Amino acid sequence: MPLGAVLVLLLLGGAAPASAHAALSGTDPGDGSVVGSAPRRITLTFTESVGLLEDSFRVYGPDNRRVRLGEPRHADGAPDTARVGLPGGLAEGTYTVAWRVVSADSHPVSGAFTFSVGKPSPAAPAVPAERAGHPVTTSLHDTARHLAYIAAALLVGTAAFAALCRPPDTAPLRLPLLTGWWTLLTATVALLVLRAPYEAGTAPATALDASALARTLTGRPGTALLVRLALLLSAAAVFLWTSRRRAAAAEPEPGGASRAHLAAGTALSVGLALTWAAAEHASAGIQVPAAMTSSVLHLLAMACWLGGLTALLLTLYRAKTPPPATTVTRFSRLAFASVTVLVVTGVYQSWRGLGSWAALTETSYGRTLTVKLVVTAALLAVAGVSRRWTARLAAAKAPVAAEERVPEPVGAAGAGPGPGTGEPGTGEAQAGLGSRPGRPSDGPDRHRRALRLSVLVEVAVGVVVLLITTVLTGTLPARAEAEAAEAAPVAGLPGATAVTIPYDVGVPGGTGRVQITLDPGRVGENGVQAVVFGADGGLVAVPELRLSFTLPAKDIGPLDAGLTDRGGYWATNDLDLPLEGTWTMKATIRVSELDQVSESRKVRITG
């Protein structure tokens, strides 16, 4: 049995799709709200399910001292919530809540907000710095993730090339297979060890804590990493067993990989790809079953294409004998099938992550995706060049093979007079065809050199695509960002709607957010309250705040809300919205005589 038939058992996926991180969609008490009596608990609602940490909540009172809290839990068993109990007898004033959870796609998310009991404090307490994670832990974790993606693509692509394209000389493929397997194994162990400090945002040394490690092993990301380790070790055991059988056999098994080995390799590859899909983006958000299927196909197609390119490049450069045209043609077909799968699944995943065409240019996720699409288009262009050289190589080989197979009739021109005459015979003349300049055999050599160059460029561009993909997996998708910006219920105002609008005027001190509450958020008369927070989370005064409403579907507006400064916040009690529908709310914030900015958000008005 050839080497590729055994090593195909090591197939796995390595490119990452994009979907959604968890984003905060609501708080109880509401952000910036004032409640009449002290609440008994704090509840957060997210756009997807989240995991809780021992230190998921930190609450600071008006005196800037930390408040003792209960154990974090999910509210009523809902996985997209986080709740913690508060002690009784909270003093009057403003409280700051800092939170940190782990989203279903395995990425930690954190933030902070304020609420007040009775009335706001004269000076709002400073919002604690967001726990962005320990820099050393984050760097090590990200490096391990990148190495895991690259190693997986190398391993699966090389194994697929060996098993499906069947090069005669598989010796050059041993190094990338072993390198991919060991690198993936090491990266997976590193990710498992660093998981707890990465989630908590602490130093790498905290990974030695037994309770933290136990929590990691019972969580979904930790379980996925354990399964990946088990599959890798199983693949190694099968490889050693089949290698010993080959060594003990009198003759190697003919042909490529058997159907049994290909089926086992396919099952193993799908299982390994699921360890990525089940612990990252595809496991959260909308249409999870379809997204999981798309993710697995996307992972495997990307690995077969880019990893297979590396295997082809090594075969072209290091094989003792150049690979036949049939091997290159088989890979060309495999690459074409992989690209087709990538296009179909990529379009679906882009739609799932974006949510709208405008998000391509208006969000970080959209701009990063645009860069990936441009580089991928360049990769496809180079792949097209490689495919053309492959076709030319196959076409150039065919005439030479045909010429070598056709015997010349006795007495034909070119036939020698026979042995003992001192002149070359027919067979000798034919053997010399490959060495004469300008003969057909020179064509394959030239085409093979061109193919080497195009494949080398293709591999280099493919590595860039993989690196951009890893950046994309760490970016909040536009759809999740839009969901987080949707209206959320405010504590104490059952029918009210609250919208937070961040702004950036582009000058020092010109960043912050506006918390707008619309009560009751229905057709007819509404009250509006707007509070402006600075970059540090404290209340700020602005010279002017204007608010207008437009209903594009009915060509109504803009209707000016007529906000007035109430000494610390802006408000009106007589905003009349005549029809239900999705209105566009436009806020204009002026921070100085010359500097202002306008931001818009959608808000749903019910009947």
Side-chain angles (χ1 to χ4, degrees), residues 170-217:
T170 57
L173 305 182
R174 294 178 180 271
L175 180 60
L177 282 167
L178 291 175
T179 301
W181 189 88
W182 278 108
T183 302
L184 182 57
L185 183 71
T186 303
T188 302
V189 172
L191 289 171
L192 190 61
V193 172
L194 292 170
R195 187 69 215 172
Y198 175 69
E199 290 179 349
T202 55
T206 58
L208 303 177
D209 181 69
S211 62
L213 183 59
R215 186 172 64 249
T216 295
L217 297 180

